Amino acid sequence: MDNVTDAAAAFAHPYYPVTAALPHYVANKNSVLSLLVFFGSIISFVVFTAVAGARNAYPQLTVPDQLTVAWFSLCGFLHCFFEGYFILNHKSLASDQSLFGQLWKEYALSDSRYLTSDPFMLCVESFTVLVWGPLCWAIVITTAKRNQLRYPFQIIMSVGHLYGVVLYYSTSLIEFYSNGVSHSRPDFLYFWVYYIGFNAPWVIVPAIILYQTTIHIKRHLTDRADVVAKLNRIDGIMGDKSWQTYVPQDEEKKTS
């Protein structure tokens, strides 16, 4: 009788698939609205602080660059802290009543893999926490300091975000179409708003940043090529190759 009771308790939860064993599940004690308001306040504070700090470091920071700082500070916070919380507490997340714990339980209604210690989620989220999170903060810093490393960093991070979303969706879809297992409740809120809507920005924004960064690099390479071509034409007219062999005074002192 006790075994039957324990088995029933393991499946007494609102998640899909209904056969997912979550014997330690405890329903959230706070409303969804209060959780979102509190979490939104934290995110707003982090993003505002990051943008304000960047503007303080470089007052002439353009609006597009401020938006870049805002986006990557948001990503850095989520990757390092929110997803980091998942990695540290994934085994007990189903009964967790902290702010992050309740938020994960709410989101897990769209993807229960976060409550079942799914190996794929642990692997991809661990990499996200350890690599992508710090890289996002590196982009924030290099953007604020007008360091040109921001551009290769942005390309790497944007490709990483796009690839991560592809893996995230594809593994779930393959499992659904191959084995008939769905990890998301079919409700509009959980599937279309949580599962699709909450992840959509990590497709749209990285694609935009990747395009803009590529255009920026192409334009600067083209400008450099144009300068070299003009110098070559001047060289052909004047026969002056001094610009090709010019050595800074500091270098002359080193060689003398």
Side-chain angles (χ1 to χ4, degrees), residues 9-238:
F11 303 128
H13 57 73
Y15 301 98
Y16 272 50
V18 294
T19 55
L22 297 171
H24 54 303
Y25 168 72
V26 177
N28 283 347
K29 63 181 181 181
N30 295 106
S31 67
V32 176
L33 180 60
S34 64
L35 291 173
L36 292 178
V37 169
F38 194 18
F39 192 52
S41 300
I42 295 175
I43 290 176
S44 298
F45 174 77
V46 170
V47 172
F48 176 81
T49 302
V51 173
R55 292 185 62 181
N56 183 64
Y58 188 78
Q60 291 77 34
L61 200 66
T62 64
V63 172
D65 284 347
Q66 292 179 45
L67 292 175
T68 298
V69 169
W71 168 252
F72 284 108
S73 61
L74 167 65
C75 294
F77 170 76
L78 293 177
H79 293 339
C80 289
F81 299 102
F82 188 55
E83 291 164 87
Y85 188 88
F86 161 74
I87 293 300
L88 294 175
N89 301 279
H90 64 92
K91 291 183 179 180
S92 60
L93 210 55
S95 60
D96 198 324
Q97 294 292 10
S98 67
L99 170 64
F100 282 4
Q102 291 186 76
L103 284 167
W104 274 119
K105 283 191 287 181
E106 179 63 22
Y107 178 76
L109 290 166
S110 72
D111 191 346
S112 63
R113 292 180 294 177
Y114 282 102
L115 297 187
T116 58
S117 297
D118 180 82
F120 168 76
M121 301 310 300
L122 290 175
C123 290
V124 73
E125 291 292 1
S126 295
F127 187 86
T128 298
V129 171
L130 297 175
V131 179
W132 292 153
L135 182 57
C136 285
W137 289 116
I139 295 172
V140 170
I141 294 171
T142 52
T143 300
K145 292 186 174 182
R146 308 298 295 168
N147 190 308
Q148 297 303 307
L149 278 175
R150 59 176 289 198
Y151 296 109
F153 285 172
Q154 285 178 184
I155 290 176
I156 294 170
M157 189 66 263
S158 295
V159 172
H161 277 150
L162 290 170
Y163 184 59
V165 173
V166 169
L167 289 177
Y168 178 67
Y169 282 135
S170 61
T171 52
S172 181
L173 290 173
I174 288 174
E175 191 168 1
F176 176 73
Y177 286 109
S178 298
N179 304 321
V181 176
S182 174
H183 296 281
S184 174
R185 291 184 60 87
D187 313 60
F188 180 87
L189 174 65
Y190 303 126
F191 183 78
W192 289 105
V193 178
Y194 286 12
Y195 186 66
I196 300 298
F198 283 4
N199 291 288
W202 277 266
V203 175
I204 298 171
V205 178
I208 294 173
I209 291 175
L210 192 59
Y211 173 78
Q212 292 177 337
T213 304
T214 302
I215 294 299
H216 174 85
I217 293 175
K218 178 179 180 296
R219 183 171 62 249
H220 279 262
L221 290 175
T222 301
D223 291 344
R224 183 181 179 86
D226 289 343
V227 170
V228 172
K230 290 177 181 178
L231 290 173
N232 284 332
R233 285 197 295 271
I234 294 173
D235 175 49
I237 295 172
M238 303 182 64

